[in-house]
Each structure stands twice: as C-alpha cells, then as structure tokens.
Amino acid sequence: QTIIGLAIFCFGINFFVEPNHLYSGGILGLAQLLNRFINDLTNSNFYLTGIIYLLINIPLLITAYFAISKSFCARTIFTVALQTILLDIIPIPSAPLVSNLLTNVLIAGTLVGVGIAHILSATGSTGGTDIIGIILTNKYPGFSVGRFALGFNAIIFGISGLLYGVSTMIYSIMYSIIENY
C-alpha cells in the first residue's frame, strides 16, 4: 500500500505540480524552492528535488530513531528513500499536460492526497515535518503536528510568493488545500 501511495504521490508531483512551477508544503516544498534557487543561481535546469529532500530528511531520520521509535524510523526511511527514487525517475513533462492551471491544481491535489492517504493508512510517514511535529507534540503538551505543519507551510508559500509571484503562491496554497482534504 505504501508503494502504491508513493507512486501516485510522485506521479502527481512530477506530472502536475512541477511542470506548473507550483510548490508543495513541508520539506518537499522546501526542497522544491532550494532546487529552483540552485537552478536560478547556476542558470541550469537540473531536477534535484528528490536528492535535496533526502538530504534534508537524513538528520530528521536520525533524530526520529532516538526520539520517536525504531519502527517508525524504519518505515519512514523506506518511504523517504522510495520517494526520492520515484521523484527522480518519473519524468517531468516539459510543459503542463493540461493547459488550464486550475485543472492542474485540482488533479495534483487529488492525486497527491490519494497517495498520502495510502501511505498513512499503511502507518507510513513521508518524514519531514511529520517527524518534527511528532517530536514537538511529545515534548510540549497541547502542541499539534497540524499546527506546526500549517506554520511551516505558511513560510514555504510566503517565500514562493515573494520569489515567484502571488499567483504561484495562491495556486500552490489551493493545491495544498485540495491535497489535504
């Protein structure tokens, strides 16, 4: 179930999010922003999002091993590794498959949301903000993973809006809302 969920998730990202220059929330969104920043700086067009995502998750996974549980960490390592591979091998179309941006947002949100639902129903985690949120929830009573993710995502979407325009930010937020419901 995790493998099917990851395949759907990564297909949604690479076929509908990336070609439209939209951003996900969480660590994946951070990896997307860093990838675009690197490409803008070097005037290149490398797709490094999967690798950047993995590199950001390594210290989080080490922390999860000690602060959460070994079994959670093992499942998350599997998910993060497979997600990295799939993000790197599933091709990204050079142009959006559908010309209407709102339609792409709806398709992306639906596919990514279905993928995440499969992953979570198999007690998996895609790492990133899940790990940070769980650790903070365990340490501070009344704190929630959702509240942390919301704040982190606000930063990601705010940066995408500042750097790449309000339209990019708004459509990225819309995609994220659909993905989560």
Side-chain angles (χ1 to χ4, degrees), residues 93-105:
S94 59
L97 298 179
V98 180
S99 61
N100 183 287
L101 184 55
L102 184 57
T103 302
N104 281 285
V105 165

Side-chain angles (χ1 to χ4, degrees), residues 5-53:
L6 281 168
I8 295 168
F9 176 91
C10 292
F11 177 80
I13 295 294
N14 283 7
F15 270 73
F16 296 98
V17 174
E18 289 290 343
N20 288 287
H21 305 290
L22 300 175
Y23 295 92
S24 297
I27 298 299
L28 181 58
L30 177 60
Q32 289 174 292
L33 283 171
L34 290 171
N35 183 73
R36 185 151 177 201
F37 181 72
I38 291 166
N39 281 330
D40 289 350
L41 271 180
T42 61
N43 200 24
S44 59
N45 197 23
F46 295 115
Y47 183 69
L48 304 170
T49 300
I51 298 298
I52 294 168
Y53 179 77

Side-chain angles (χ1 to χ4, degrees), residues 25-162:
I27 298 299
L28 181 58
L30 177 60
Q32 289 174 292
L33 283 171
L34 290 171
N35 183 73
R36 185 151 177 201
F37 181 72
I38 291 166
N39 281 330
D40 289 350
L41 271 180
T42 61
N43 200 24
S44 59
N45 197 23
F46 295 115
Y47 183 69
L48 304 170
T49 300
I51 298 298
I52 294 168
Y53 179 77
L54 176 66
L55 292 174
I56 294 170
N57 266 290
I58 288 173
L60 297 174
L61 290 165
I62 292 167
T63 304
Y65 180 83
F66 294 105
I68 300 173
S69 76
K70 291 175 179 87
S71 62
F72 172 84
C73 186
R75 288 191 309 271
T76 306
I77 288 171
F78 171 77
T79 305
V80 167
L82 186 56
Q83 183 175 346
T84 299
I85 292 166
L86 291 174
L87 285 171
D88 286 342
I89 65 169
I90 294 174
I92 299 171
S94 59
L97 298 179
V98 180
S99 61
N100 183 287
L101 184 55
L102 184 57
T103 302
N104 281 285
V105 165
L106 293 169
I107 294 169
T110 301
L111 287 173
V112 172
V114 166
I116 289 173
H118 277 281
I119 295 164
L120 293 175
S121 69
T123 65
S125 165
T126 56
T129 54
D130 292 349
I131 294 171
I132 299 167
I134 291 169
I135 291 169
L136 291 173
T137 300
N138 290 341
K139 189 170 182 163
Y140 302 106
F143 192 86
S144 75
V145 176
R147 204 173 308 151
F148 173 76
L150 187 62
F152 192 89
N153 292 348
I155 294 168
I156 296 298
F157 296 134
I159 292 169
S160 75
L162 287 171

